């Protein structure tokens, strides 16, 4: 059995590859549960409701559909990641702690994140015109939902507030700390890849990957998920609100985005935006152990299959 360094909350220790495989298998099982509940179940609820007549059912209102999916997404995320947190003995205070994130930092990182996110969504939309990948907006696991009437408020609460909070706790909190024990660089890339693959469609994967890297960097920079939650909420509010801008004001909205780009460039050039440098460590063996675990492979294949199904549907 190979031996390598493993970082606990207080010290380094040596562990065997068997121990690492066991931990990675646990992560894979949690991800399988996540994919089944957060991706497949909302799609099934939506499709059953759309074809209610075939099953001799009375179609549900859009508000009830959104409410069911609201509960499904929340439970489907919290349950497996809570199990993962307990399995890895990760305490809440380990990833949700006091932070030096001030108002100036909030403005800088929010602007840079908005610029990054909108640029990626725009670029993906252009690609999507020539190579159909799916929806051309970054709306995560809720891309199948019809939104109208009272469901707008419920949908907004889920997309703009609930999802950013539970996703940051799960992916940049629990999963990042669980994998971070094997090295921050490995954890950063693995978490970004997993997060991207857990999206609802292929068009969301590209933005999700790079945005995940940004949020992971922010989490490592401040040693807390609080800044990532705040920035994530701001971005989702911006993207959701953009859908409701009247056509006659689209030029003003475009101008606002252009100002965001200019500010982001300024913050980057003046080094107000700080990117955490992570020492490169050879983790090929850890990568091989992680990506060859049967449960990790199954979770990835299931998420890819969902993207294909939703694209064809």
């Amino acid at each position: 059995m190979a031996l390598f360094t493993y970082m606990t909350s207080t010290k380094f220790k040596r562990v065997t590859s068997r121990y690492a495989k066991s931990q990675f298998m646990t992560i894979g099982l949690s991800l399988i549960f996540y994919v089944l509940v957060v991706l497949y179940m909302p799609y099934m609820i939506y499709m059953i409701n759309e074809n209610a007549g075939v099953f001799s059912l009375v179609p549900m209102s859009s508000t009830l559909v959104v409410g069911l999916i609201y509960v499904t997404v929340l439970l489907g995320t919290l349950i497996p990641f809570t199990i993962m947190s307990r399995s890895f003995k990760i305490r809440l205070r380990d990833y949700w702690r006091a932070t030096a994130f001030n108002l100036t930092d909030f403005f800088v990182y929010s602007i840079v994140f908005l610029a990054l996110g909108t640029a990626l969504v725009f670029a993906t939309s252009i690609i999507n015109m020539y190579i159909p990948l799916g929806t051309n907006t970054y709306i995560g696991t809720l891309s199948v939902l019809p939104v109208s009437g009272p469901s707008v408020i419920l949908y907004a609460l889920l997309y703009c507030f609930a999802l950013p909070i539970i996703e940051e706790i799960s992916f940049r909190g629990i999963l990042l700390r669980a994998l971070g024990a094997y090295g921050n660089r490995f954890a950063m890339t693995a978490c970004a890849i997993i997060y991207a693959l857990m999206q609802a469609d292929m068009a969301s994967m590209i933005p999700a990957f790079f945005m995940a890297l940004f949020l992971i960097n922010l989490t490592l920079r401040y040693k807390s998920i609080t800044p990532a939650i705040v920035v994530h909420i701001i971005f989702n509010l911006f993207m959701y609100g953009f859908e409701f801008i009247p056509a006659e004001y689209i030029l003003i909205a475009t101008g606002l985005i252009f100002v965001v780009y200019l500010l982001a460039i300024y913050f980057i050039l003046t080094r107000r935006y700080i990117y955490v440098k992570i020492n490169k460590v050879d983790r090929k063996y850890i990568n091989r152990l992680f990506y060859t675990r049967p449960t990790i492979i199954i979770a990835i294949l299931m998420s890819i299959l969902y993207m294909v199904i939703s694209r064809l549907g």
Side-chain angles (χ1 to χ4, degrees), residues 29 53 64-65 93 102 115 128 146 179 216 224 227 265 291 298 306 310:
L29 288 172
L64 183 56
V65 172
R93 66 185 182 186
N102 55 40
N128 204 29
L179 296 180
I216 291 169
S224 170
I265 293 172
Y291 293 111
I298 292 171
Y306 173 82
S310 62

Side-chain angles (χ1 to χ4, degrees), residues 19 26 28 30 48 52 56 74-75 98 104 171 214 240 262 264 266 302 306 310:
Y19 179 84
T26 299
S30 298
I48 290 173
S56 300
L74 291 179
L75 292 179
T104 301
F171 290 96
F214 180 100
Y240 187 74
L262 290 179
Y266 170 75
M302 287 174 60
Y306 173 82
S310 62

Side-chain angles (χ1 to χ4, degrees), residues 190-224:
C191 286
I193 290 172
I194 293 298
Y195 181 70
L197 289 171
M198 297 297 111
Q199 301 305 305
D201 57 76
M202 290 180 282
S204 297
M205 285 179 57
I206 299 173
F209 175 78
F210 291 101
M211 293 166 73
L213 289 178
F214 180 100
L215 293 169
I216 291 169
N217 173 73
L218 187 58
T219 301
L220 294 176
R221 167 81 171 81
Y222 289 96
K223 298 179 175 61
S224 170

Side-chain angles (χ1 to χ4, degrees), residues 40-216:
Y40 282 89
M41 285 192 65
Y43 187 74
M44 289 177 60
I45 293 172
Y46 172 69
M47 292 303 296
I48 290 173
N49 193 58
E50 285 291 292
N51 300 279
V54 178
F55 302 99
S56 300
L57 300 173
V58 177
M60 296 180 288
S61 66
S62 60
T63 302
L64 183 56
V65 172
V66 174
L68 283 175
I69 295 179
Y70 192 116
V71 174
T72 300
V73 171
L74 291 179
L75 292 179
T77 305
L78 292 176
I79 290 175
F81 282 95
T82 298
I83 293 173
M84 189 190 304
S85 176
R86 292 181 177 178
S87 176
F88 283 81
K89 296 181 175 58
I90 300 173
R91 299 164 298 183
L92 183 64
R93 66 185 182 186
D94 287 338
Y95 51 87
W96 193 309
R97 61 180 68 177
T99 175
F101 194 63
N102 55 40
L103 188 60
T104 301
D105 296 332
F106 160 73
F107 183 71
V108 169
Y109 282 90
S110 294
I111 290 295
V112 176
F113 191 58
L114 280 175
L116 172 67
T118 54
L120 287 168
V121 170
F122 177 74
T124 305
S125 299
I126 299 299
I127 296 173
N128 204 29
M129 292 172 60
Y130 301 96
I131 307 175
L133 299 173
T135 58
N136 58 4
T137 55
Y138 180 78
I139 51 180
T141 57
L142 304 180
S143 59
V144 299
L145 290 183
V147 180
S148 61
S151 61
V152 172
I153 297 176
L154 189 58
Y155 179 89
L157 290 173
L158 175 57
Y159 176 67
C160 298
F161 297 98
L163 272 180
I165 292 173
I166 63 174
E167 283 188 349
E168 294 313 313
I169 291 175
S170 302
F171 290 96
R172 262 69 70 178
I174 298 170
L175 183 60
L176 182 63
R177 284 197 63 85
L179 296 180
Y182 297 91
N184 280 342
R185 182 173 290 272
F186 159 72
M188 175 178 279
T189 54
C191 286
I193 290 172
I194 293 298
Y195 181 70
L197 289 171
M198 297 297 111
Q199 301 305 305
D201 57 76
M202 290 180 282
S204 297
M205 285 179 57
I206 299 173
F209 175 78
F210 291 101
M211 293 166 73
L213 289 178
F214 180 100
L215 293 169
I216 291 169

